[in-house]
Amino acid sequence: MQISIKGYITPKESELFYDCADRYAISEKQNKFAISDGVSKSFFPKIWADVLVNKWVDSKEFDEAQFILDCQKDWLKQVTEIVNKPDAKWFTKNAFNRKESGLATFVGLRFFKKKKDWYWKANALGDSFLFFVPYKFKDFSKECIVLSSKQEPIIFDNFPDYLSSLGSNHRGKKQLKENRITDGTFYLMTDALAEWFLNEKDNAINKIDVWQNQKDFERFVDEERHNEKLGNDDSAILTIKVKEDNKDEIKYSLEEVSDINELIKVQQKEIENSKKEKEIIIQNENSNSEISAEDIKQEEQLKNESTEEVKTEIEKVQTTHIVYTYKGT
């Protein structure tokens, strides 16, 4: 079985990759994939989303209760380190002392073998979605498999189901689905893209197929936001294309899976370089201003000197004239 994977992510308009609270992760070794959307108004949501996806794909044996506890411990450790730093803001410390939690939606997908056949199993909580579109489908609405904890009619709002980084105060009921693997494509998406996908249907698949890299994805997001077809929210997607080749093992091909941490580093470097360029421009402008001022000063000095010389010559002429007149009498 051949599996091709693409993954793209981008923040809200006018925000940085550093601000993005969406996360995804894959593990070829464990045949697992996950995507999560940190709820923006919660406490350190991007850390919570990051912990959830990475711990899920890395886990060999899976126990739901233990998985959540392990994730919560990891989140709390990272947040405690941040809060205890000398430069931590007072409101951050206050929120920590109030035991505020991080919240995040979640979708997990894994492939496993049962006897001679390969199967997939997925779970979803919140308004992040899993879609499976069969190869050469005829009727999108009837053949597309949709998985999330949102109930029909699906309405996207600011109150999704979620996993909490503290205690057992989770919201909603996780939904599960399991099937034998057939040719087709799995799409794991956070809410903005999921809403767009449900609205666009067949047309969405055609647009997704065009993306070859992160820049293509970013251009698409900008255009769809401008056309008011895509909401202005953090957006992340994993596409997992499956094709049967009658071989027993899975062969992976990572066509392009963008790494949020690398995107953050590249963007921060670009910002730093831009600042340096601006500083150089300002320095040059100041330097030019100083030169111009000095030139003006020298010109005025030369002008004054020339004026003095002219005055002296005039005085000489006048003096000579007076002397000659005196001698003549």
Side-chain angles (χ1 to χ4, degrees):
M1 187 164 55
Q2 295 181 339
I3 298 178
S4 302
I5 304 172
K6 293 180 181 179
Y8 306 113
I9 188 167
T10 196
K12 299 178 183 69
E13 186 179 4
S14 302
E15 288 194 0
L16 304 175
F17 280 107
Y18 177 81
D19 303 311
C20 183
D22 283 4
R23 291 293 187 276
Y24 53 63
I26 65 172
S27 172
E28 298 173 57
K29 185 178 180 180
Q30 305 297 336
N31 300 315
K32 298 177 79 172
F33 319 85
I35 198 165
S36 179
D37 177 4
V39 178
S40 59
K41 293 182 180 180
S42 63
F43 195 51
F44 288 101
K46 61 185 177 184
I47 294 179
W48 182 227
D50 189 74
V51 169
L52 285 171
V53 296
N54 283 294
K55 276 199 172 295
W56 198 85
V57 300
D58 289 340
S59 60
K60 295 179 182 179
E61 302 298 328
F62 190 76
D63 177 275
E64 177 73 19
Q66 189 58 49
F67 164 70
I68 296 297
L69 287 174
D70 290 342
C71 288
Q72 289 178 335
K73 287 178 182 177
D74 195 343
W75 176 87
L76 184 59
K77 180 182 177 182
Q78 292 189 50
V79 171
T80 301
E81 290 175 355
I82 294 171
V83 172
N84 287 335
K85 288 182 178 180
D87 58 348
K89 305 296 184 183
W90 63 268
F91 49 82
T92 302
K93 293 184 177 182
N94 286 344
F96 180 77
N97 292 332
R98 288 195 302 269
K99 298 185 183 303
E100 293 191 11
S101 62
L103 310 174
T105 65
F106 182 81
V107 175
L109 168 68
R110 70 184 181 96
F111 298 155
F112 64 97
K113 208 167 185 182
K114 188 189 292 186
K115 295 181 179 180
K116 292 183 179 181
D117 294 323
W118 281 94
Y119 283 76
W120 63 269
K121 188 173 184 177
N123 66 86
L125 182 68
D127 54 11
S128 289
F129 277 65
L130 175 144
F131 301 98
F132 176 74
V133 181
Y135 181 61
K136 291 186 177 180
F137 68 91
K138 294 181 179 178
D139 189 325
F140 179 92
S141 298
K142 292 181 179 179
E143 297 178 65
C144 177
I145 294 174
V146 181
L147 182 64
S148 89
S149 65
K150 275 195 165 294
Q151 302 299 314
E152 296 283 354
I154 296 173
I155 298 173
F156 289 84
D157 52 34
N158 295 323
F159 307 98
D161 294 338
Y162 54 72
L163 291 169
S164 174
S165 65
L166 290 175
S168 57
N169 192 26
H170 312 298
R171 178 178 178 178
K173 185 178 179 180
K174 181 176 66 176
Q175 298 299 302
L176 301 171
K177 195 173 286 288
E178 179 179 327
N179 267 321
R180 190 172 69 84
I181 295 178
T182 56
D183 287 359
T185 304
F186 292 92
Y187 300 92
L188 276 62
M189 306 180 192
T190 50
D191 57 334
L193 282 171
E195 183 177 15
W196 167 82
F197 190 86
L198 288 169
N199 290 333
E200 293 289 309
K201 298 182 174 61
D202 306 43
N203 193 36
I205 295 171
N206 295 330
K207 290 186 177 182
I208 291 172
D209 286 342
V210 173
W211 307 339
Q212 296 300 315
N213 50 51
Q214 174 70 21
K215 292 299 180 184
D216 285 347
F217 175 68
E218 290 176 19
R219 278 192 292 270
F220 150 80
V221 169
D222 289 341
E223 288 173 3
E224 295 299 275
R225 284 174 180 169
H226 178 74
N227 295 330
E228 298 183 350
K229 292 183 178 181
L230 179 67
N232 182 27
D233 195 5
D234 297 340
S235 299
I237 180 172
L238 280 175
T239 67
I240 305 155
K241 187 175 291 186
V242 179
K243 186 176 182 181
E244 183 59 64
D245 60 2
N246 298 318
K247 293 183 179 180
D248 195 43
E249 299 302 319
I250 293 177
K251 183 179 179 182
Y252 285 99
S253 171
L254 301 183
E255 295 190 17
E256 180 168 341
V257 179
S258 298
D259 184 335
I260 184 67
N261 294 316
E262 287 301 315
L263 292 171
I264 290 170
K265 288 180 183 177
V266 170
Q267 190 173 59
Q268 286 179 335
K269 189 173 182 180
E270 289 175 349
I271 292 171
E272 289 173 4
N273 290 338
S274 178
K275 285 181 179 178
K276 288 179 181 178
E277 289 177 1
K278 287 180 180 178
E279 287 174 359
I280 291 171
I281 291 171
I282 291 171
Q283 287 176 358
N284 288 337
E285 287 177 348
N286 290 338
S287 176
N288 291 335
S289 297
E290 290 173 3
I291 292 170
S292 298
E294 185 63 29
D295 287 345
I296 292 169
K297 187 176 179 181
Q298 288 180 359
E299 287 179 5
E300 288 179 349
Q301 186 175 352
L302 289 171
K303 185 178 179 181
N304 291 336
E305 289 177 356
S306 299
T307 304
E308 289 297 324
E309 288 178 0
V310 170
K311 284 183 178 179
T312 303
E313 290 299 322
I314 291 171
E315 289 175 353
K316 284 182 179 178
V317 171
Q318 289 176 340
T319 304
T320 304
H321 177 73
I322 292 170
V323 169
Y324 286 148
T325 305
Y326 176 78
K327 283 184 177 180
T329 55

